[in-house]
Amino acid sequence: MAETNSQTLEESTNTIKKDSETLIDGNLLIAQALVRAGVKCMFGVVGIPVTSLANRAVSLGIRFIAFHNEQSAGYAASAYGYLTGSPGVLLTVSGPGCVHGLAGLSNSAINTWPMVMISGSCDQKDFGKGDFQELDQISAVKPFVKFSTKVTHISEIPNHVYDVINQAVVGRPGGCYLDIPSDVLHQTISESDATKLLNTAESCKIHEPKGTLGTLEIEKAVSLLRNAKRPLIVFGKGAAFARAENSLKTLVERTGIPFLPTPMGKGLLPDTHELAATAARSLAIGQCDVAVVVGARLNWLLHFGEPPKWSKDVKFVLIDVSKEEIELRKPCIGLVGDAKRVLDMINVEIKDDPFSLGKSHPWVEAISKKAKENVSRMEMQLAKDVVPFNFLTPMKIIRDAILAEGNPAPILVSEGANTMDVGRAVLVQTEPRTRLDAGTWGTMGVGLGYCIAAAVASPDRLVVAVEGDSGFGFSAMEVETLVRYQLPVVVIVFNNGGIYGGDRRNPEEISGLYKDDPAPTSFVPGAAYHTLIEAFGGKGYLVGTPKELESALAESFSARKPTVINVTIDPYAGSESGRMQHKN
């Protein structure tokens, strides 16, 4: 009751008449600044002291998507920033709410996606006394943000809001943090003064620094490509964020160079393109002599650009918005700048003196031959309808259903161990920014947050999540959020009874005081995940045969309503990720 009364009082003081001039409080001023800064959507969990801020934002036209926990809301905000190019905004309460939001901020930082977390905090005069949910939040967020700031007076709000929004996208995108003490939210200012502050802040917007890339560096890169015997173009989600797909298409088709996308780079050029080297990945990276890497880092996903996966003699042309990243990797040639802009400069240079490898080039033929062999081998495996399901049979059915949707292609969300690994090989991306997965940090639990972000960012597209049962469990309660907002999301859970497939212990590992407990990798066998969404009014399916899965997909894709399809998988069908086995 005390919280309700406090909230009512808070709402009633948003606008106050005093001496014939209207006063507004910090909640309304923040909402006004966010609107002016171009924010269209916020994700979060409301409570003390930010409930009124959320309500004010909604009243001014900002959509607020309320979650069950800040972790999933933070993942949604990070993915929204990637999909739209504008910072996703997360709103949290103080203390533990801020800490829970760090999951989204850290995910944003590692994936280099623009995001802003706004958290309420305790009254400034009570800090250090053990106030309600007290935390030094500026210190807590420091490892995960590129910029953070704290408002100490209502008059600072407009500038601080613009600062975090702008800093999130300038240079290499990332997470930013804004701390709003509860006493600032209740401070008031005249409407006329607020307008002046908003106008001043808007006029001081940070602009993207102009690149200094010269024609000499471009000429060197083109010369290196022109003289390469086995060139390769590699691109990642940085190129996707830069909307560089058309520039990449021009480069690939003008030069005839094979290309390899990273997992979330898939779709910038269709996986079905004749120069796609995805199915010949080991050959492509193991034998190329020049690799142009666009918007992707030479990290674990690309084996650090080092032998034995890469040739010891390979020369890298690294295109990245971050000068620091290029200095860290020390490529043969580093081109600092926005991926699209740099590629356009390369394309102009090539246009003036064109060259193309051609389909009969030995390197192109070798890549093409190997890719066709591997695809054929995979299709032979997929052709078998295995029941009880392995991972391949349902994945093929899902692939065909997604492809049948045509244009616009559904956005695919994928997380899990076996589920994500097999899906990466089987599922086909034909359009840019239509794949979201565990990403650079390998983050589990992103699935439902990503689904919600995708549905909000691209309302014309169906969203399809293909999840392991472990990954789904991290955020399963957010299926209620899907139903509440009636989002067109179909969640497909590969249910094999646990992490990697349940109890796989050796006999010598089953001993000790708690030998009768389930294995650390086990879940309840046959868990009825589909009934979870039914509890909230959504649609659930339990499937275990090809016909059942085909029917469920056809019905749910057509309905475009919140759905969970619980796919029973043989618990012995999966295995640990081949790339990660040596780490476990």
Side-chain angles (χ1 to χ4, degrees), residues 29-330:
L29 186 55
I30 293 170
Q32 290 176 339
L34 289 170
V35 169
R36 288 235 197 164
V39 173
K40 294 179 172 61
C41 183
M42 297 172 69
F43 307 89
V45 179
V46 298
I48 297 172
V50 297
T51 303
S52 186
L53 170 53
N55 287 332
R56 279 297 178 178
V58 171
S59 73
L60 296 182
I62 294 176
R63 190 178 192 189
F64 191 90
I65 306 295
F67 281 70
H68 285 274
N69 72 70
E70 293 90 354
Q71 186 180 63
S72 289
Y75 292 146
S78 67
Y80 182 88
Y82 168 66
L83 291 171
T84 66
S86 299
V89 178
L90 168 66
L91 181 65
T92 85
V93 300
S94 50
C98 173
V99 170
H100 293 165
L102 295 182
L105 269 183
S106 57
N107 191 63
S108 178
I110 301 299
N111 284 303
T112 68
W113 292 347
M115 173 186 166
V116 170
M117 183 167 86
I118 301 174
S119 296
S121 59
C122 70
D123 282 9
Q124 296 176 89
K125 63 180 177 59
D126 294 327
F127 184 79
K129 300 178 183 178
D131 195 19
F132 175 70
Q133 294 187 335
E134 179 185 318
L135 174 70
D136 181 356
Q137 292 168 193
I138 292 292
S139 295
V141 305
K142 188 175 180 180
F144 310 110
V145 296
K146 57 184 290 192
F147 176 77
S148 63
T149 187
K150 182 173 184 173
V151 178
T152 61
H153 188 269
I154 187 172
S155 61
E156 300 171 355
I157 285 174
N159 276 334
H160 282 59
V161 168
Y162 270 90
D163 280 348
V164 291
I165 295 293
N166 290 327
Q167 290 283 0
V169 294
V170 168
R172 165 161 279 183
C176 292
Y177 174 70
L178 178 60
D179 192 281
I180 312 285
S182 56
D183 53 297
V184 173
L185 292 170
H186 295 293
Q187 290 173 358
T188 58
I189 193 173
S190 72
E191 195 169 46
S192 59
D193 284 346
T195 300
K196 291 176 184 176
L197 290 168
L198 288 165
N199 290 339
T200 300
E202 194 169 16
S203 67
C204 296
K205 181 177 179 180
I206 302 172
H207 295 286
E208 191 77 34
K210 293 183 178 180
T212 57
L213 192 62
T215 56
L216 183 59
E217 292 97 326
I218 297 294
E219 289 172 358
K220 287 180 180 178
V222 171
S223 176
L224 195 61
L225 267 183
R226 192 185 301 278
N227 293 301
K229 294 180 179 178
R230 298 177 301 279
L232 180 68
I233 297 171
V234 181
F235 50 82
K237 60 182 178 291
F241 181 79
R243 273 56 181 172
E245 54 267 22
N246 290 334
S247 303
L248 274 169
K249 181 181 179 183
T250 299
L251 177 62
V252 167
E253 296 185 350
R254 187 169 285 173
T255 62
I257 296 174
F259 66 85
L260 177 71
T262 65
M264 270 193 274
K266 282 164 64 71
L268 279 173
L269 295 178
D271 288 342
T272 52
H273 195 288
E274 62 182 358
L275 289 170
T278 306
R281 187 178 192 273
S282 295
L283 172 65
I285 67 174
Q287 295 189 18
C288 70
D289 59 352
V290 173
V292 178
V293 182
V294 188
R297 283 171 285 173
L298 294 175
N299 56 21
W300 69 277
L301 285 165
L302 289 173
H303 311 287
F304 311 108
E306 298 172 351
K309 295 294 185 180
W310 295 82
S311 165
K312 62 182 177 62
D313 298 320
V314 64
K315 293 180 173 63
F316 286 106
V317 178
L318 191 57
I319 299 173
D320 199 285
V321 74
S322 169
K323 181 180 179 182
E324 291 74 20
E325 178 70 21
I326 288 176
E327 290 175 344
L328 174 67
R329 304 298 174 184
K330 297 179 173 61

Side-chain angles (χ1 to χ4, degrees), residues 364-492:
V364 176
E365 284 190 335
I367 293 288
S368 178
K369 180 183 177 183
K370 188 64 175 177
K372 287 176 180 176
E373 288 174 356
N374 288 341
V375 168
S376 178
R377 191 176 296 116
M378 173 69 77
E379 289 300 322
M380 287 178 63
Q381 293 178 284
L382 293 172
K384 305 169 185 175
D385 284 344
V386 178
V387 180
F389 278 150
N390 58 12
F391 281 83
L392 293 173
T393 295
M395 206 67 77
K396 173 185 180 292
I397 296 169
I398 294 166
R399 178 195 70 182
D400 293 346
I402 290 175
L403 288 173
E405 286 294 293
N407 182 281
I411 293 177
L412 172 70
V413 176
S414 182
E415 69 171 332
N418 303 150
T419 308
M420 187 172 65
D421 288 343
V422 175
R424 187 182 296 126
V426 177
L427 301 175
V428 176
Q429 312 302 139
T430 58
E431 296 179 31
R433 293 168 295 281
T434 55
R435 179 184 172 87
L436 295 167
D437 64 24
T440 307
W441 221 14
T443 311
M444 290 295 106
V446 296
L448 270 293
Y450 280 8
C451 286
I452 293 166
V456 172
S458 303
D460 59 326
R461 293 182 187 266
L462 178 68
V463 180
V464 180
V466 184
E467 309 233 318
D469 49 359
S470 175
F472 177 68
F474 277 85
S475 58
M477 193 62 186
E478 300 302 343
V479 297
E480 187 276 337
T481 310
L482 298 180
V483 176
R484 187 169 9 116
Y485 290 96
Q486 282 298 295
L487 300 174
V489 176
V490 177
V491 181
I492 305 166

Side-chain angles (χ1 to χ4, degrees), residues 222 226 348-355:
V222 171
R226 192 185 301 278
V348 168
E349 178 68 21
I350 291 173
K351 184 179 179 181
D352 292 340
D353 188 8
F355 71 95

